[in-house]
Amino acid sequence: MKITSRFKAWLKWLLILGGLVLVYGWALQGLKFNLEMLNESVPYTIDFVSRLLPPDWSVTDVAVKALIETIQMSLWGTTIGAILSIPIALLSAHNLTPDWIRWIANLVQNSVRSIPSIVLGLFFVSATGLGAPAGTLALGIYTIGYLAKFYQEAIEAVDPKSIESLQVSGASWVQIAQYGIFPQVLPIGLGYTLYMFEYNIRSASVLGVVGAGGIGFELVNYIRGFEYNKATTMMLILLIVVTVIDAISSQLRRRLDSL
């Protein structure tokens, strides 16, 4: 009996491993890697990297101003997205709402998540013009697709007994959310929001490609003008600030988790 059980366990893992090999083999075939082309491209890669060095620190003041604008965009974009995500998450949770409402709310989430941030940036640039307002609105909508899902998962993980006791006592849907859901979800939700703020700073730099303000706008302009040394300065300052914010955010998330 023991041999049979061990054999079944080994067979199970071999089948899983074989399935993974097939899936990754199929994916690699679709990528169409050309090793010869990669070898030939090494000199061009080295040439590009050599143009990035050394950094031109004369644009530090421009980088700092653009970075401050990026942080402001991320702060407002994350806040807007977080506020709008709360009702969508509540309507998406299977332990709070009927199936037909949940289906519509999940469709909204999926629809927003399927739109790349750069497309949202293009849309809001056409609506508000170049600059930070377009980037802020793009980040706000982009944030909804992810925070609403994160909040939904946290809501669905709430202890069902607390919800059931409120339902038995005749509490309304709003009261259930206020007294049964929010106290349990708040620390987790704040942790997710901090993570999204940190992520949005990186996303804001990408939105600069379409003229949506921030440090990305300056970075793209320097690259288009072949001023690679100045672009390197922008990237280094962005790296320093993102690293600092990541450390602070991680500390805050750990404290929230301990609540």
Side-chain angles (χ1 to χ4, degrees), residues 123-246:
F123 173 78
F124 285 110
V125 163
S126 67
T128 65
L130 298 173
T136 302
L137 292 172
L139 287 175
I141 300 302
Y142 181 75
T143 298
I144 293 172
Y146 290 91
L147 277 187
K149 186 64 176 176
F150 293 155
Y151 292 167
Q152 177 195 342
E153 295 290 339
I155 291 168
E156 290 178 344
V158 166
D159 183 6
K161 291 181 180 179
S162 61
I163 298 176
E164 289 171 4
S165 61
L166 286 168
Q167 288 173 337
V168 169
S169 64
S172 66
W173 186 85
V174 174
Q175 289 172 326
I176 291 172
Q178 182 179 356
Y179 299 109
I181 301 293
F182 286 139
Q184 297 184 55
V185 170
L186 188 60
I188 301 172
L190 287 173
Y192 285 141
T193 307
L194 284 170
Y195 171 78
M196 201 67 203
F197 168 67
E198 172 197 327
Y199 179 80
N200 277 342
I201 291 176
R202 300 185 187 97
S203 296
S205 63
V206 175
L207 290 174
V209 174
V210 295
I215 197 169
F217 183 69
E218 301 293 341
L219 177 62
V220 170
N221 284 338
Y222 286 135
I223 290 174
R224 286 173 179 168
F226 300 101
E227 298 178 282
Y228 295 117
N229 303 87
K230 294 178 180 179
T232 301
T233 304
M234 293 285 169
M235 289 186 285
L236 287 174
I237 290 176
L238 179 62
L239 172 64
I240 293 167
V241 172
V242 167
T243 302
V244 171
I245 290 175
D246 175 61

Side-chain angles (χ1 to χ4, degrees), residues 84-93 96 105 109 147-152 155:
L84 295 177
S85 294
I86 293 172
I88 297 174
L90 289 169
L91 294 173
S92 302
L96 286 180
Q109 284 187 40
L147 277 187
K149 186 64 176 176
F150 293 155
Y151 292 167
Q152 177 195 342
I155 291 168

